[in-house]
Amino acid sequence: MAEELARRGAAVAIAHHRAPELATAVASRIRSAGGRAIEVDGDLSRVDDNRHLVDRTVAELGRLDVFVANAGLTRWAPFLDVDEDTWDAVVDLNLKGSYFGAQAAALQLVAQGEGGRIVFSSSVTGTLAIANASAYAVTKAGLQHMARVLALELGKHRITVNALAIGATVNERNLADDAEYGEHWAGVLPSGRAGTPSDVAAALGFLVSTEAAQVTGHTLTVDGGWSGIGVTP
C-alpha cells in the first residue's frame, strides 16, 4: 500500500509498532525509487499515538491528503474460548484505533480545507461468517459501517471515506498460518488464485485517486469472487 501511494506521487508516512526493520525496508524501497517516506513508531490502539502519527506526518511532510487505517491483528479462537484480553486487543487496534486515527486525520483535513481521502482495511469476514474469527470479524464489519457514517458526516468537507473488504491474500502472516495458503485458496476462488498485496494496493490506489471523487461510504471487495460463494478450503 505504501509503495503504491508513493508510485502515485505521494510522500508517505509508514506507521509501525516495534518493527522498525519492516518500516525501514519499505521506506528504503520508496526512497530508492525517488520517492519520499518517513517511519513513525506508535501503538495505534492508543488515541494519542494516532494523533502523534498525523502530527508527525504534517510536521515532516508538510500536509495530509490520504489516511489509510491499515493497522490490525487477528486472534483465532472458538467463540466460547475468547477471553476479555483477546477481545480488548483486537477491538482496541482494529476498531478503536481506526476510529480515532480517522478522527485525527479528518481534523487535519478539515483544517486544510481541501478535502481528502480516508480508507479502512476491512475484510470479507466482516460480511460472511467464518468460524473461530468472531472478535476479528466484528471489528471488520464495524469498519464497513464506519465508512458509511463517516462519509455522511465528512462529505461536506469533500472528504471521502471508504473501506476495502480484503479476501484471501498471500502475505507473510497468512503463510505463517499455512505454508500452502495460496494453493489451498486457489482451489476454491472463482478467480483461480489467491490475492496478492499488489491487488489490494491497486484497489486502494483507485479509492484515493481523483477518479474516485464520487465514491464514498462504499466497501470495495478485493477477494477473487470469494464472497459470492463463501466456500473455504
Side-chain angles (χ1 to χ4, degrees):
M1 286 181 166
E3 291 177 81
E4 174 66 19
L5 294 175
R7 188 184 67 79
R8 290 171 173 264
V12 184
I14 302 164
H16 67 90
H17 183 41
R18 296 197 298 264
E21 68 284 356
L22 301 179
T24 298
V26 177
S28 296
R29 291 196 296 270
I30 290 172
R31 296 185 192 113
S32 296
R36 296 175 63 201
I38 63 171
E39 304 136 55
V40 184
D41 189 9
D43 177 357
L44 297 184
S45 69
R46 297 171 54 86
V47 175
D48 285 348
D49 284 18
N50 278 283
R51 292 170 178 164
H52 171 70
L53 171 61
V54 171
D55 290 345
R56 173 97 180 274
T57 299
V58 174
E60 296 201 27
L61 300 179
R63 58 182 292 114
L64 182 70
D65 297 287
V66 173
F67 183 82
V68 183
N70 188 50
L73 56 83
T74 311
R75 291 289 184 268
W76 297 99
F79 167 65
L80 296 178
D81 294 339
V82 174
D83 58 24
E84 184 177 7
D85 288 343
T86 297
W87 170 266
D88 286 347
V90 174
V91 173
D92 283 356
L93 181 59
N94 297 9
L95 202 56
K96 186 182 83 173
S98 295
Y99 183 91
F100 284 102
Q103 184 188 70
L107 287 168
Q108 176 64 28
L109 295 172
V110 170
Q112 290 172 182
E114 298 176 29
R117 302 281 189 267
I118 296 173
V119 180
F120 297 119
S121 282
S122 182
S123 165
V124 290
T125 63
T127 304
L128 295 178
I130 292 182
N132 302 323
S134 57
Y136 175 81
V138 165
T139 65
K140 295 304 182 176
L143 291 173
Q144 295 181 29
H145 194 58
M146 193 184 298
R148 288 187 283 267
V149 296
L150 298 189
L152 171 63
E153 293 201 33
L154 297 176
K156 63 186 177 184
H157 300 290
R158 292 184 292 127
I159 300 169
T160 68
V161 187
N162 294 288
L164 290 167
I166 302 168
T169 305
V170 178
N171 56 33
E172 290 184 17
R173 187 200 70 179
N174 288 332
L175 288 173
D177 290 340
D178 177 3
E180 298 181 3
Y181 182 91
E183 292 82 355
H184 290 156
W185 277 98
V188 301
L189 292 174
S191 65
R193 67 171 178 86
T196 66
S198 61
D199 293 321
V200 179
L204 171 66
F206 167 69
L207 289 177
V208 304
S209 69
T210 56
E211 289 82 3
Q214 194 65 2
V215 180
T216 192
H218 177 69
T219 296
L220 178 57
T221 302
V222 187
D223 72 347
W226 180 77
S227 54
I229 57 171
V231 178
T232 55

